[in-house]
Amino acid sequence: MINSNNIPSVFKSSSEKYKDFVAFNYFDDSWKVMTYGDFFTLSDKIAGFLALNGLKKGDRVAIVSENRPEWCAAYMAVLMCGCIAVPIDAQLGSDELNNLFSDSEARAVFYSSKTETNVINAIEGSGIKGINFDGLAIHNQGYSELSSGSPEISEDDIASIIYTSGTTGKPKGVMLSHGNFCSDAAAVIQSGLVSHDDNVLSILPLHHTYSFMCTFVVPVFQGSVITFSPGLKSSQIISAIKERNVTIVVSVPRLLEMIASGILSKIKESGISAVLSAMLKISGALRKKLGINTGKIVFKAVHKNFPKVKFFASGGAKLYPSVMNDMESLGFKVLEGYGLTETSPVITFNPADKRKSGSAGKALPGVEIRIAHDGEIMAKGPMVMKGYYRNPSATSEIIKDGWLFTGDTGHLDEEGYLFITGRKKEVIVLSSGKNIYPEDVENAYMSIPLIKELCVIPSVTALTDGEAGLTVPDSLHAVIVPDLDHAKKELIGNIAEALKWQINSVSMRLPEHMRIKGFTLHSEPLPRTRLGKLKRFMVQGLAAAKSDESVQRKEDKSLLDDETGRRVVECIKPLMPEDIPVQSSDNLELDLGFDSLKRIEFISSLEAMFNISLPETFISEVQTVGDVVEKLKTGVVIGKAKSGALLSWKDILQKQPPGIDSKGTVFSFGKIETMLIYILFMLQKIFFKLFYRLNVEGASNIPEKGAFVIAPNHVSHLDGFVIAASVPFKTFKNLYFLGFQKYFAGGKIRSCFARASHVIPVDPDTYLHAALQMSAYVLRNEKAICVFPEGGRSFDGNLMEFKKGIGALSVEMRASVVPAFIKGTFKALPKGAWFLKRSKITVRFGLPVTSSDIDFSLKHEKIDAYQFYADELRKKVAELSNG
């Protein structure tokens, strides 16, 4: 227990008690150690050095350095002199440093060779004394030790001024006293989380109070070992944990996400991924319901990298419950806590023996937590700051009647566990009056494997409240960083399209006001604080900043100097809406804006340019321009160069689809096959008539023969069968459907069923070009085809946008399209349902439409002809829904 009320006293007591024990493990070409005795001696000498240079009680001394033993010694030395330490982010530039030095009125600053340039520039001409750790002779030269002549320090004396924000404007410095820090450390120690026998890994920068308290102050007060990670790479962190026998890993959610994701990826890549995934679920269920930890045994190989780890601590930002659940299922223990710089910082932590995922835990001893009427979290206790440095007005806004208003919102459950819902200032208030906490929404959508990062912001288009003069968002928008590795592995050719379907799937499980209604793809990591919190105000400007990038682009000389690269660029240029330089690092979709059809045009142009036939999987295996060049160089035999002229869609559709022979046997049926198909057809017709009272309207609008397209809405797996049952057999004999390979291919029974149902298995998600070429092939053979223009089933039964593929097919093949509307199948078997329900089904067929029936003069210049046709066709299907 802590019996003193100031940090130097506790430090001296701990150092005397644990003099010969290791205080620090640190890496300097090789692993080295420093004992508590050496740590105290170094601190005392630095304190003497400061005193010799005129530093006295109350003076401010900044520390700008990476984590290292000297950082800790300098901090202790500053306090031993009665001075006030000002820890500052080592990554700040000289202007920002100058701003903080000036505000804090620092008289001296410690720095290292890594931060030397910025610090020297910041203090030039200021009179501030600079002290370089790497040039400091304290280690080898004797200075008069200060310990015998230390000034008297009380618990009310300020120990640190920590700057939390405003580093480029008016900064806010949090004044934390010796009593604040000592009381918070005592509360953490009283909780039994850290003992003398522990070895704590220090990864996070020490200028943050979370890292400062949990990986410095508490371990020092307990005489524990502190291990500094040699770097931030996962391999360096895991190596430090394993080699130095770390028992506690103090981390942030981003690190835990990285660890969990890395382990789960290896499980998926293993030869027994299905078995391991099942065992992971069983392990999680056993631990959650019965408290039995089988994960440590089942995933023994994983734990070899974490041999002594007791638990992972998570703080600094909200931890997604799914990450904690995954880690716990793997056999690890994760303790999430909560606090602010203004509370020294820890005020809640999950008890080691009773953790709740999604919760920030229970209040530490000595802390009171209340929830204000508007949901804001209030805290009171000896660890609450003295106020903001030289800013009484800001202090009075946040501390009222002894209660600190945290700015975070949340609730307490019946057992006193705190659940954080978000930042009060980040709450999105929709025009409907609904309050949205972005983190809750993000948590729901982060279950999508294709999403690497996501930030929810107010919609780009907003409503204006004329009376109040405010802009009020009417829905939610998201900025998404996709997981390109996952997309490549799963052969996802169109990331945006795949995300739309996956987002819709999640949306259907959420209340209407919490659903994302649009998203922007971003190729770079989202801006975050050093502890992993999203900088939402910066995220909102990413879309605008992205649009300005084209102006600043420069030619990629290395790409154009390469013969293959230059020819690839020649294929890209005609597809771009404007003439901008193409970079090797450009993502085809995120940077160049290639949608599914543009990708097909690009592939066709490459095949013409290089006189080759590319494999079907090519477009799904490349993400960037550089990938394309590399793939062409290493995996494809290139023929003699041809003209780089862009192939027309007419030429693309005239190509023979892959997997089809020249005899057209896909349309050939024997007499016995035809008879069996007729029997199945009639049984299907009878089934829908009796069970669903199928009613067909406008059947006379269906052409009696020849090539045409039926284009219905799509809400259910039943839709294709309903269309088949709605036409006469003479029409069905020549009517074909495109079906997903995963449902209609693989195995003799599936193949026979597909053939009898006139289903041609394709995978439009990955091989859209094959789907369109197959459709064109059907039409060229004077057959009819049923195409669902929405590209997939609606999640809510409403008509979705039509993809422009139907426009390309109709316009270039000059095919007539019969619009159709199906009503009742959504109730009978909606997406996600497994059992049929009774419902009256009606099918309405409209008059055939050709491209000559469309007035393209009404087309907006920013919409291409194919999309315009698709939009006009959608209107006709929508009209049928009102019939």
Side-chain angles (χ1 to χ4, degrees), residues 462-605:
L463 302 176
T464 299
D465 184 344
E467 184 176 336
L470 300 173
T471 301
V472 184
D474 57 346
S475 60
L476 301 178
H477 192 83
V479 176
I480 295 173
V481 178
D483 189 329
L484 299 182
D485 291 334
H486 177 79
K488 207 167 187 175
K489 192 184 302 178
E490 297 298 320
L491 295 179
I492 297 174
N494 188 324
I495 292 172
E497 190 64 24
L499 274 173
K500 283 182 183 177
W501 293 110
Q502 293 177 22
I503 285 172
N504 282 341
S505 179
V506 173
S507 292
M508 294 310 296
R509 302 195 295 268
L510 298 175
E512 177 70 25
H513 61 275
M514 288 181 66
R515 297 175 184 175
I516 291 173
K517 297 298 175 66
F519 62 86
T520 299
L521 293 179
H522 189 63
S523 56
E524 300 294 329
L526 297 179
R528 294 177 181 271
T529 66
R530 294 286 294 279
L531 294 188
K533 288 183 180 179
L534 282 166
K535 295 182 178 179
R536 298 182 187 277
F537 69 96
M538 292 180 66
V539 174
Q540 295 193 43
L542 286 178
K546 192 175 181 67
S547 66
D548 293 336
E549 286 178 7
S550 58
V551 182
Q552 304 167 9
R553 278 174 168 259
K554 294 181 179 179
E555 293 287 353
D556 189 333
K557 195 171 185 301
S558 61
L559 180 66
L560 296 178
D561 286 347
D562 180 85
E563 176 63 17
T564 304
R566 182 184 59 75
R567 289 161 70 180
V568 168
V569 172
E570 285 182 29
C571 294
I572 290 173
K573 288 281 191 177
L575 297 169
M576 302 297 293
E578 55 183 314
D579 186 18
I580 62 170
V582 177
Q583 307 283 337
S584 178
S585 59
D586 282 341
N587 184 285
L588 298 177
E589 185 173 354
L590 307 187
D591 298 311
L592 301 182
F594 281 16
D595 59 14
S596 298
L597 295 194
K598 269 198 169 62
R599 279 175 172 257
I600 296 173
E601 292 178 272
F602 177 48
I603 291 299
S604 300
S605 184

Side-chain angles (χ1 to χ4, degrees), residues 359-515:
S359 169
K362 304 176 80 170
L364 290 179
V367 178
E368 291 182 69
I369 300 286
R370 284 185 187 174
I371 307 298
H373 68 279
D374 60 354
E376 185 171 0
I377 300 166
M378 302 159 58
K380 179 187 280 190
M383 59 281 297
V384 172
M385 69 170 183
K386 297 195 54 94
Y388 291 117
Y389 183 59
R390 299 196 308 174
N391 199 338
S393 61
T395 302
S396 62
E397 287 177 7
I398 194 172
I399 299 179
K400 300 172 183 177
D401 298 325
W403 287 95
L404 177 81
F405 286 73
T406 65
D408 291 314
T409 56
H411 64 271
L412 294 165
D413 70 7
E414 63 282 354
E415 294 183 281
Y417 283 78
L418 179 65
F419 290 81
I420 314 292
T421 52
R423 291 291 293 168
K424 185 177 178 180
K425 65 181 180 182
E426 292 173 353
V427 172
I428 300 172
V429 183
L430 299 180
S431 56
S432 62
K434 294 285 187 180
N435 288 352
I436 307 296
Y437 296 100
E439 288 186 354
D440 288 346
V441 180
E442 289 157 2
N443 185 33
Y445 287 99
M446 279 303 296
S447 61
I448 297 173
L450 190 50
I451 295 179
K452 188 173 185 178
E453 291 188 79
L454 176 145
C455 179
V456 171
I457 59 176
S459 59
V460 178
T461 56
L463 302 176
T464 299
D465 184 344
E467 184 176 336
L470 300 173
T471 301
V472 184
D474 57 346
S475 60
L476 301 178
H477 192 83
V479 176
I480 295 173
V481 178
D483 189 329
L484 299 182
D485 291 334
H486 177 79
K488 207 167 187 175
K489 192 184 302 178
E490 297 298 320
L491 295 179
I492 297 174
N494 188 324
I495 292 172
E497 190 64 24
L499 274 173
K500 283 182 183 177
W501 293 110
Q502 293 177 22
I503 285 172
N504 282 341
S505 179
V506 173
S507 292
M508 294 310 296
R509 302 195 295 268
L510 298 175
E512 177 70 25
H513 61 275
M514 288 181 66
R515 297 175 184 175

Side-chain angles (χ1 to χ4, degrees), residues 340-357:
L340 300 87
T341 301
E342 290 85 349
T343 58
S344 305
V346 189
I347 53 176
T348 70
F349 227 88
N350 267 276
D353 59 345
K354 192 176 181 182
R355 307 169 302 285
K356 287 190 179 183
S357 66

Side-chain angles (χ1 to χ4, degrees), residues 773-795:
Q773 288 171 350
M774 179 60 77
S775 300
Y777 175 78
V778 171
L779 295 173
R780 282 201 306 276
N781 282 272
E782 291 299 305
K783 307 293 183 183
I785 189 163
C786 179
V787 173
F788 295 104
E790 294 162 283
R793 288 170 291 151
S794 170
F795 287 85

